[in-house]
Amino acid sequence: MKQVKRYLKGLLDKKNASIFLLCSFVIALSLRLIIATTLPQDFLSESMAKVDRIQYHTLAVNLLNSGIYGFVPGEPDSSLPPGYPVFLTLTYLFLGTNLLSIRLVQGFVSALTVILFFYLACRTYPNRYQVVIVSTLLVTIYPVFIIYSNFQLTETLYVFMTLLLLLVAQRSLESLNVSWGLLTGFLLGVTLLVREVLVLFVIVLACIALARRYPWRRCLLYLLAFSIGMSLPLGLWTARSIIHTRRPIFITDRASAAASSVAGVELPPDYQNLNDEIRERSAFD
């Protein structure tokens, strides 16, 4: 048993760690590319959030063809966050509008997630090498990550962005450096434009920063830089939404309705479902 522990610990030496990480990445990428090229295109076509997949595809195609983000060409929309449709649009632009291109790109992104997870695990558990190695291997071969990279859904990109955000946030909270705070805020803003569910991360990060044993001035400068970084992507999207829809938007119509409900602010009855008819029509055309 001691020999096994010694061997596992040796895997995380500087030289061996690079080899282990490279092997994990190659295995992860190989598994994902094999599934991407062999899985039938109609695999689970009637399930796996069919409506969502078609809606993301519709938004991406319309953005690519007309330059306008919406379900109907020429009609701007703010029902869904733009992060993933923009990701699809870039993929379609360079690799063509087909499912295989999405599978290949998302397979690569999913394999990169293994690298992010490894570094995050090393920083979180610096002395528990067994946890780092075993958890990295599990992420490498985790069937859900492999399968989901083959669908036009946000999960693969969102997991990648979340791990990148956590890795950068962990580094920035160690020193409360202004530059790192700016980068952390920017990454959170981009991640929120993929999915809105991390919005409360702002409160968590602020509490951790204020709890650090640093001068108040340093904490406030860090939080100010963080806020500026987050406002860059969110501010651009909000300005676009206000210009095109003529009403304030917090990321999406759905998120705006939820935030207003929590704040006790009444919105027009049809606000949350303003684009439901358009979305349903685009999903089943």
Side-chain angles (χ1 to χ4, degrees), residues 5 17 47-48 70 114 133 146 150 174 223 228 276:
K5 288 184 177 181
S47 56
M48 295 296 293
V114 174
I133 293 173
I146 297 174
N150 292 280
E174 291 177 355
L223 292 176
I228 293 173
D276 281 357

Side-chain angles (χ1 to χ4, degrees), residues 63-83:
L63 182 59
L64 179 64
N65 294 334
S66 66
I68 295 179
Y69 183 80
F71 291 105
V72 177
E75 296 184 18
D77 187 271
S78 300
S79 296
L80 293 176

Side-chain angles (χ1 to χ4, degrees), residues 124-283:
T124 306
Y125 302 102
N127 299 317
R128 301 185 65 180
Y129 44 88
Q130 303 100 321
V131 173
V132 175
I133 293 173
V134 173
S135 59
T136 301
L137 290 175
L138 289 176
V139 172
T140 300
I141 62 174
Y142 188 43
V144 173
F145 286 168
I146 297 174
I147 295 298
Y148 262 83
S149 64
N150 292 280
F151 299 108
Q152 292 160 304
L153 295 171
T154 61
E155 277 72 13
T156 298
L157 180 62
Y158 181 69
V159 170
F160 174 83
M161 291 301 304
T162 300
L163 288 179
L164 180 60
L165 170 64
L166 291 176
L167 188 61
V168 173
Q170 189 181 58
R171 172 63 180 82
S172 70
L173 287 170
E174 291 177 355
S175 61
L176 297 189
N177 181 274
V178 170
S179 298
W180 281 100
L182 190 68
L183 178 59
T184 303
F186 180 80
L187 287 176
L188 177 59
V190 173
T191 304
L192 289 174
L193 292 180
V194 177
R195 293 184 72 172
E196 318 99 312
V197 295
L198 271 183
V199 64
L200 293 181
F201 184 78
V202 177
I203 300 175
V204 175
L205 185 136
C207 291
I208 295 176
L210 294 174
R212 304 288 291 175
R213 295 183 178 180
Y214 287 107
W216 280 94
R217 182 179 177 182
R218 186 169 182 174
C219 294
L220 292 178
L221 285 176
Y222 171 82
L223 292 176
L224 177 62
F226 172 82
S227 301
I228 293 173
M230 184 176 65
S231 67
L232 292 177
L234 292 181
L236 289 174
W237 170 248
T238 300
R240 171 264 175 201
S241 298
I242 292 176
I243 292 172
H244 287 292
T245 63
R246 300 180 182 273
R247 63 183 190 278
I249 296 291
F250 177 69
I251 306 179
T252 62
D253 293 330
R254 179 179 55 193
S256 297
S260 300
S261 177
V262 172
V265 178
E266 292 189 6
L267 292 174
D270 61 341
Y271 191 96
Q272 184 173 4
N273 300 314
L274 192 61
N275 299 293
D276 281 357
E277 183 179 348
I278 295 176
R279 294 173 63 190
E280 290 177 4
R281 187 167 71 248
S282 68

